[in-house]
Amino acid sequence: MPDVAAVIDDLREESQELDVLVRGLSARQWAAATPAPGWSIAHQIAHLTWTDEIALLAATDPDAFAGEAAKAMEAPESFVDRGAEELAVLAPDVLLARWRDGRARLEAVLRSAPAGVRIPWYGPPMSVASMATARIMETWAHGQDIADALGATRAPTARLRHVARIGVRARDYAYLVRGIAAPEEEFRVELEAPDGELIAFGAEDAPQRVTGPLLDFCLLVTRRAHRDDLAVRAVGPDADQWLDIAQAFAGQPGPGRAPRGREK
């Protein structure tokens, strides 16, 4: 099991890195389009703000969160966009302040949560470590959208291991959301971190395998790059199929990114 405090530390660092990227942007840049259709940079930060606030509600007032979850069930394809749209209209400085406040309050609640507590969510309840890991994944993925919009290159960090972990753990969900039966056998996933460390999941003798750079795998499972543009490789038909559908996030997968040179 991951060290909970260390995971929360990584969440704070991931958020701070993104904060540095957006804090000096002009109002025009906040309105710039990102690769997510219909979403500006403001929408990306608004989404993170909204999700942090919903996670805070889930951790502090489960009954109130249940009401929000019921609303989501009534509009499963639009409630996330609606949450982003409602906050994206705020002035950039107001939105930035609200994002900072929400993530700080969520961090405090996660750090003070009793051992073993489970936080309700839009699927099964989550441990504190899992909630923090999910927030790292979302922050990094939406940060990638912002970096792409700005033409910025972010150096990969060791925090990517959290994104990879949730991507591997969500393997069967990727099949479920598409109405496909998941393979019964697990895969071996071996990823090379930027410092040369091997990040591995699954049994060493698993016949079906996925290998490649840690960064590329994270771009794949967050659907921030097309498989054809990444150095992630599969051995075995099931593992090969998974690379086409892998996703580390809940909800509908969306169209994903087109290969470079064939953007939609």
Side-chain angles (χ1 to χ4, degrees):
M1 294 296 293
D3 180 280
V4 176
V7 178
I8 298 172
D9 288 344
D10 283 348
L11 171 58
R12 179 175 55 190
E13 291 178 9
E14 190 66 40
S15 299
Q16 288 174 338
E17 183 177 289
L18 179 55
D19 195 310
V20 170
L21 186 62
V22 301
R23 67 177 56 167
L25 299 182
S26 66
R28 187 170 193 169
Q29 288 174 307
W30 277 86
T34 69
W39 277 31
S40 64
I41 289 176
H43 282 87
Q44 300 286 350
I45 296 299
H47 171 70
L48 294 176
T49 303
W50 175 84
T51 311
D52 284 343
E53 291 177 356
I54 289 291
L56 181 64
L57 184 69
T60 58
D61 192 342
D63 290 339
F65 171 76
E68 292 299 318
K71 294 177 186 177
M73 292 296 293
E74 295 172 359
E77 296 183 358
S78 63
F79 81 99
V80 171
D81 285 338
R82 187 171 64 248
E85 289 166 1
E86 290 174 355
L87 295 178
V89 299
L90 296 174
D93 59 334
V94 175
L95 177 56
L96 186 57
R98 184 159 169 175
W99 175 46
R100 289 169 173 167
D101 177 68
R103 73 185 201 234
R105 288 189 292 135
L106 177 61
E107 177 185 339
V109 167
L110 293 180
R111 288 192 187 279
S112 63
V117 71
R118 308 289 291 184
I119 301 171
W121 199 236
Y122 293 103
M126 303 175 76
S127 68
V128 170
S130 292
M131 176 62 79
T133 298
R135 300 308 307 126
I136 292 170
M137 181 273 294
E138 283 246 25
T139 303
W140 181 82
H142 291 284
Q144 186 63 45
D145 289 336
I146 293 170
D148 288 345
L150 296 172
T153 299
R154 302 186 300 170
T157 72
R159 297 188 298 271
L160 287 177
R161 68 188 186 278
H162 299 297
V163 182
R165 181 172 181 268
I166 200 170
V168 171
R169 295 189 68 183
R171 186 199 77 165
D172 288 1
Y173 178 81
Y175 289 92
L176 176 66
V177 77
R178 292 168 174 79
I180 305 172
E184 293 185 4
E185 64 182 44
E186 69 174 349
F187 304 150
R188 174 71 170 180
V189 178
E190 295 183 348
L191 307 170
E192 184 177 353
D195 63 0
E197 179 187 0
L198 181 67
I199 309 295
F201 307 89
E204 288 190 55
D205 61 350
Q208 300 201 60
R209 314 173 72 82
V210 168
T211 61
L214 175 61
L215 174 60
D216 285 24
F217 181 78
C218 292
L219 289 168
L220 180 80
V221 298
T222 57
R223 301 182 69 79
R224 262 53 187 185
H226 193 279
R227 176 183 177 182
D228 291 352
D229 297 324
L230 302 171
V232 182
R233 302 290 179 260
V235 174
D238 295 329
D240 186 70
Q241 180 190 39
W242 179 47
L243 294 189
D244 286 331
I245 65 173
Q247 67 180 75
F249 53 88
Q252 295 301 310
R257 302 283 177 87
R260 284 196 291 266
R262 288 198 283 130
E263 285 84 357
K264 298 175 183 177

